[in-house]
Structure formats: structure tokens, C-alpha cells
Amino acid sequence: MVWLQSFNSLVFFDIQEGDDVDPRNLVIMLALANMGYVWADVAADGFMVWVAHREPIEKRGKMQTLVYSMEILGQIAINVILLFGFSGPKMNCPGYESDPSVPCTTNIYVTKRVDPEMYQSNPYGWCYEMCNEATFDWDMSIPEFALSICFVIAASIPLYLRLKEDKVKAGPKMEFLRNFWTQIKRRACWQIILYGMISHITFGVMNAAKMPANFVWLGLRTSQHQVMVIFEKIIFFIGLSLVRKYALNVSWRKSVLIGSCLVLVFNSMYFLIIFDVWRNSWFYIFTDVSALFMYTLNFLASHACMVEVAQPGYEAITYSMITTATNAVSPLSAVISYQLLAFFPSLNEQESIATDTPQVRKEFACLHSLVIILNLSSLLALPLLPRQKKETRELVAKGETSTFWGMYVICSAFIFLCYSTFVTFVTVKYHDVYGCMKILGGGGCSADESSTMALGLVSVILLYCYGTNFYLSFWPILKGERKFSWQMFI
């Protein structure tokens, strides 16, 4: 039923919009379609956990990695469509017109993005020429892309009709929620949720100046970006397959530690681009794709423990609670990423980065170093992550509970989710007015916009991450209840 909702949303969008696509309506229709996907995904995750609980303990994780591998294959197929459908002139050439009877635009916000040489050589007909950023001379329209997704949904529906599930009488809702609350209060549950949120916030911080730098320093095209994404997915698929075959019982802490350090090693290679040692778009793609292979280890470690925490009968709601909490913090990482630019004024504009002065390079190197340090600090949360399935089950068996930390996790996840939803709504509904505000993760609507509120939010976020982790992981050491050991991190 929920896949039919996604199908109907996309079909309605095609009928309603045609070729004249309003960005707001596009986001609304995709949000409704995505809602159907999320409902279906929650049910699928619950079934995946149900199957995983019936695997032999030494082989547990095979089903989980298989499911994610199939998901990655689907993403690869979509990215191939994006590569060939959105690498044409309409998508990549500002002001492009395929109809010669339509005059070229005089909008200054469009013309300033046009290649100066092309504009000067043909000031009245530049919009009919294909720019260098376009790879192909054809384009796929947004409605055509939506229809291609509808085709995939329609083709998959008969497979769901073949599924047979025995009907089970639902128990009292209040009793179900009380039992779920009891599970949330268990240390094994709230500790893993907190680890997911804290590590995702700090490891998710990125260098917000990198994308404009890639454009002006490397001339990265849309087609090259899509090729990079496809290679990333392929590497992710290979990584999942290798883990499923060889590393199901490797310590999760070691996986995260090794994976994170290697990711940062590859990210450090960007210094060669910053200082013009080797500026090549394919070199950047190589380092980015290689880093994603190591990210696979981090991803699996933070998701594998969820299977052990979910209790029978509560597989779907527990798994969705943990994944929702970890996904809801993504906008917070974006806010931190963009607010770091406040300390590096030369990196706020693409035109400024294009000057490539020693000052620009110095600030870029400082920003990149700061991002690497913040990413590296995510490893401080490793003591919150159980080492493997056995340790997770032992943590569950202890039965240690805390109402305070249960409420702390619920409130944190709720606040983060509300902020994420608010940011999404405002930046879509009022993107012309508020979408650029710093407090919402934008780069600023004007040169004199204050960063006080945004920097205050960043301070609160970092205080939440480091304060929570310090209290749970290191405060007991200071009180003498535990002894410090490097084994806490491996």
C-alpha cells in the first residue's frame, strides 16, 4: 500500500506539473513519495532483524549486509540514470535555451555564471551553445525521471504480492508502548543510540568550501561527480561483500578505529590539491572513492549492534528508532560545517576561492585541518560502542536501566528531528527568503548577517556531543570507578 502511495504521488506530480516544474511542488511530491518509502523500509528493516535473530550467532550479519548490498545496487542503477539523464546542457549550462525563438536571458544572476569567453564571443546567441560543463547534448526532464522511478515501483509491486504473512492479532497499544519504553530505558539501547548520534554529528562535519573549490580548481563536471558517486556505491558494495565473507566477527571498535583513520588519511590527500601539488579531478575522485571503502567499516559497525539490541516483537520500532535518531542529526553536521566558514572569510565565496592566493590556500588548509580534527574526535565515543555481538548481548543481559537516560535519548532524538523537519520545511517553502540563513545551515543571506545565533547553536551541539560522551565514558574514570585503558578504544 505504501509503495502505491509513492507511485501515486509521482504520477500526480507528472500530471500536475508537466515540463514546467516548480521546485517547491517537486520537493513536496518527493517528500510524499519518500514517506511511502520510509513506511515500507521500516517494515522491511523489522523483517530483516527478525530473520537475523534466526541466523547462527557466528554467521549473524550475513542477512543484514546482503540487504544493504541490494539497496546499494538499486542506488547504482538510479545514479546511472542521473549520469546519462542530467549531464546535458539544460542542467549544466546556466541560461541555456533549446528553442532559438526564445531570446537569451538578461538576468544578471544567470549571466554572471556563464563562461565569460562564450558570452563575449557571442553576446546575443550564447544561450544556444552547449557549454564545457555539459557532457552530452541531451537531457532528461524531471517528469521523465519521476516516471522512471514509477516504472521501478510498478515492476516491484507483483513481488510484494507474493509475500505471505500470517495474520497476528495486535495487542493493546498502551501495553506495547510501555514495553517499548522499558526497552528504551535499558542501557544497551540508549547507549547505542547516543553513540550513533554523537559519532554521526562529529564524523559528519565536512569541509563546506570543498565543493566550490572542486569547481574552480579542478573543473569538476556533473558527469564526473556522478561517475564518482557510482564508483563510491560500487566500492561500498564490494566492502559489504568482503565484510559479509571475512569480517562478521571482527571487533566493531577496531573496524571503526581503522576505518576512520584511513578515511582521514585519504582526506588528508586533499592538501595536495590545496597547495597545487596535483590538481586533477580524477585524483580527487580516487581519494574520495577510496575513503568511502573505509567508511563502509564505520557504517556496518554502527548498524550491526542494532540487531542485537532489538527484542523479539519490537524489531521494527527499535531499529527505526535507532536509525531515525542517527539520521536526524545530519542537518546539525551541516550547520557546523557551514559555520566554520565564519572564521575563514576568504572561503565564503566561490569567486574568492578562484583567486587562489596564498591567503586563500592558508585559510583552506586551516579549515581542512580543523574538519579532520573534528572527524577524528568522533573516536572519543568508541567506549559507548560494544565490541561485538557477545558484548552487546552481555550488556542486554545485565538489565541495567535508567529512566533519565531513556528520557534524555527520546528528547534528544525528538529535538533533532523537529529541527531537521523545520529546516527542511523553511528552506523549501521560503527558500528565497530564509534558505540562506546561517542558523538553518546556509552560507548567509548577506555579508553583514550575524553569526551569533549560528555559532551559539554550534557551541550547544558540540557541548552536547563532548559533554554527554565525557560524562558516560570518562567521568567514571575521574571518580575512580573505572581505570583508564587504551583497550577502551579497541
Side-chain angles (χ1 to χ4, degrees):
M1 293 299 294
V2 290
W3 281 121
L4 287 176
Q5 175 194 319
S6 300
F7 179 85
N8 292 334
S9 298
L10 294 173
V11 170
F12 177 78
F13 167 76
D14 273 348
I15 296 174
Q16 185 75 16
E17 294 292 308
D19 290 331
D20 188 16
V21 178
D22 186 306
R24 298 179 186 179
N25 293 339
L26 171 63
V27 173
I28 292 173
M29 289 299 106
L30 290 179
L32 292 175
N34 192 59
M35 186 182 298
Y37 154 74
V38 171
W39 286 344
D41 190 53
V42 168
D45 283 342
F47 182 69
M48 176 195 69
V49 177
W50 184 87
V51 173
H53 282 167
R54 285 152 180 79
E55 290 181 301
I57 191 64
E58 66 277 0
K59 295 183 179 180
R60 185 172 295 175
K62 281 184 173 290
M63 175 56 66
Q64 191 177 20
T65 51
L66 177 62
V67 168
Y68 284 123
S69 296
M70 295 302 102
E71 180 181 346
I72 293 300
L73 285 180
Q75 293 177 13
I76 291 174
I78 291 298
N79 283 117
V80 169
I81 295 176
L82 292 175
L83 170 62
F84 290 100
F86 294 100
S87 296
K90 285 185 179 180
M91 184 61 62
N92 299 276
C93 302
Y96 177 80
E97 285 290 346
S98 57
D99 187 356
S101 63
V102 179
C104 297
T105 182
T106 56
N107 188 323
I108 188 173
Y109 294 105
V110 176
T111 56
K112 73 177 184 179
R113 296 166 50 210
V114 178
D115 183 359
E117 293 184 6
M118 186 171 69
Y119 186 81
Q120 293 173 5
S121 63
N122 190 0
Y124 300 104
W126 59 267
C127 63
Y128 310 119
E129 300 179 15
M130 191 174 78
C131 62
N132 293 329
E133 285 73 24
T135 303
F136 308 115
D137 57 0
W138 69 82
D139 289 275
M140 174 184 285
S141 67
I142 299 294
E144 289 173 341
F145 178 64
L147 281 177
S148 67
I149 298 177
C150 289
F151 174 77
V152 175
I153 295 174
S156 65
I157 288 177
L159 300 177
Y160 294 104
L161 295 177
R162 291 176 57 86
L163 294 176
K164 183 179 179 181
E165 184 178 6
D166 296 331
K167 291 185 178 181
V168 178
K169 186 178 179 180
K173 293 182 180 179
M174 293 307 298
E175 181 182 350
F176 178 86
L177 292 176
R178 278 195 298 269
N179 291 337
F180 176 64
W181 168 239
T182 300
Q183 181 166 304
I184 292 294
K185 290 191 295 183
R186 293 178 177 176
R187 185 183 184 104
C189 190
W190 56 255
Q191 180 174 304
I192 288 174
I193 294 176
L194 285 173
Y195 168 78
M197 291 193 292
I198 293 171
S199 62
H200 276 70
I201 290 174
T202 49
F203 198 75
V205 176
M206 61 179 182
N207 187 340
K210 185 183 284 188
M211 282 305 294
N214 289 339
F215 179 78
V216 297
W217 287 348
L218 306 178
L220 193 68
R221 297 183 178 185
T222 301
S223 58
Q224 288 178 311
H225 178 75
Q226 287 301 328
V227 168
M228 180 182 72
V229 172
I230 291 171
F231 275 121
E232 286 178 346
K233 302 298 183 183
I234 292 174
I235 292 297
F236 203 174
F237 177 82
I238 294 173
L240 287 171
S241 301
L242 292 176
V243 169
R244 183 168 66 251
K245 189 170 184 179
Y246 300 109
L248 286 178
N249 298 302
V250 173
S251 169
W252 296 329
R253 291 184 188 176
K254 289 181 180 179
S255 297
V256 172
L257 181 63
I258 295 172
S260 299
C261 290
L262 290 176
V263 166
L264 298 179
V265 167
F266 282 102
N267 284 343
S268 298
M269 292 182 181
Y270 201 81
F271 285 109
L272 299 177
I273 295 174
I274 295 173
F275 293 105
D276 199 13
V277 177
W278 191 12
R279 287 185 177 174
N280 182 280
S281 56
W282 294 109
F283 168 70
Y284 166 70
I285 290 173
F286 164 75
T287 59
D288 194 80
V289 169
S290 301
L292 193 86
F293 179 78
M294 309 309 167
Y295 173 77
T296 307
L297 302 177
N298 299 20
F299 173 84
L300 283 178
S302 60
H303 282 68
C305 54
M306 300 178 190
V307 173
E308 305 301 326
V309 171
Q311 298 298 306
Y314 299 88
E315 295 93 347
I317 190 172
T318 304
Y319 202 90
S320 61
M321 172 65 191
I322 298 175
T323 53
T324 298
T326 53
N327 291 334
V329 302
S330 297
L332 303 179
S333 298
V335 169
I336 297 174
S337 302
Y338 282 100
Q339 292 323 299
L340 291 178
L341 293 177
F343 302 102
F344 306 98
S346 299
L347 307 180
N348 282 293
E349 298 292 337
Q350 183 170 294
E351 291 77 10
S352 176
I353 298 175
T355 60
D356 199 19
T357 62
Q359 178 66 20
V360 169
R361 295 184 183 184
K362 180 181 177 181
E363 290 192 8
F364 207 114
C366 291
L367 173 60
H368 201 62
S369 300
L370 182 57
V371 169
I372 289 176
I373 292 171
L374 285 172
N375 293 158
L376 195 61
S377 70
S378 66
L379 298 177
L380 295 174
L382 276 179
L384 298 177
L385 178 68
R387 290 181 176 85
Q388 249 290 334
K389 291 168 280 192
K390 180 182 178 182
E391 188 169 310
T392 308
R393 293 198 309 275
E394 290 174 352
L395 193 60
V396 172
K398 286 181 179 179
E400 183 179 345
T401 62
S402 172
T403 301
F404 170 79
W405 286 108
M407 287 298 299
Y408 187 81
V409 162
I410 293 292
C411 291
S412 299
F414 179 74
I415 292 172
F416 294 156
L417 185 61
C418 287
Y419 176 79
S420 303
T421 305
F422 176 76
V423 169
T424 303
F425 174 78
V426 172
T427 52
V428 171
K429 182 69 175 176
Y430 307 105
H431 68 282
D432 295 332
V433 181
Y434 303 113
C436 53
M437 290 182 65
K438 294 181 178 180
I439 190 68
L440 301 180
C445 298
S446 62
D448 58 349
E449 180 181 338
S450 174
S451 300
T452 304
M453 291 182 63
L455 293 177
L457 178 60
V458 170
S459 301
V460 170
I461 295 170
L462 294 179
L463 180 62
Y464 171 86
C465 292
Y466 299 126
T468 302
N469 183 49
F470 174 81
Y471 183 83
L472 291 172
S473 302
F474 302 102
W475 182 244
I477 296 174
L478 295 180
K479 291 198 303 182
E481 296 176 2
R482 301 179 195 166
K483 289 185 178 181
F484 177 82
S485 171
W486 290 110
Q487 293 296 319
M488 296 167 55
F489 301 96
I490 59 176

